Amino acid sequence: EVQLVESGGGLVQAGGSLRLSCATSGFTLDDYTIGWFRQAPGKEREGVSCITGSDGSTYYADSVKGRFTISSDNAKNTVYLQMNSLKPEDTAVYYCAFTVVPGALTMRWYDYWGQGTQVTVSS
């Protein structure tokens, strides 16, 4: 059974940093893509970043390029999202998700989702 569990969210001041973790089970990270998405109140869920397990390729939304870094520790079956220079507009519930499609940052390609972790950035 595929499972994803996010952790690491919290409250941080603008300019600060957080590292989110996505602990996975039920599959091998090497073979699939893990994405991070976020959903702010009243807004649609949007893709933030993803990493392809087979070759480590990474992809980012324009809004987070240069500030967020996605990485994976395949031995621990865990994917991380390091978020630096956080802005109030980064406030959202962050979700990790699983897909068989390399490099996908569109929700419709994702089959399994975690429960989400809240990130709040104060100004």
Side-chain angles (χ1 to χ4, degrees), residues 46-92:
E46 63 174 354
V48 174
S49 181
C50 67
I51 185 166
T52 299
S54 59
D55 63 3
S57 297
T58 58
Y59 304 84
Y60 297 93
D62 287 344
S63 58
V64 306
K65 279 181 182 176
R67 300 188 298 123
F68 291 10
T69 302
I70 191 170
S71 62
S72 67
D73 184 335
N74 290 5
K76 295 183 178 180
N77 294 320
T78 301
V79 174
Y80 304 98
L81 186 68
Q82 178 67 44
M83 306 186 296
N84 299 329
S85 302
L86 282 161
K87 305 175 181 179
E89 51 263 44
D90 294 318
T91 295

Side-chain angles (χ1 to χ4, degrees), residues 2 17 33 36 38-39 53 65 68 74 79-80 85 120-122:
V2 173
S17 299
T33 293
W36 283 99
R38 66 185 181 186
Q39 187 166 19
K65 279 181 182 176
F68 291 10
N74 290 5
V79 174
Y80 304 98
S85 302
T120 303
V121 184
S122 63

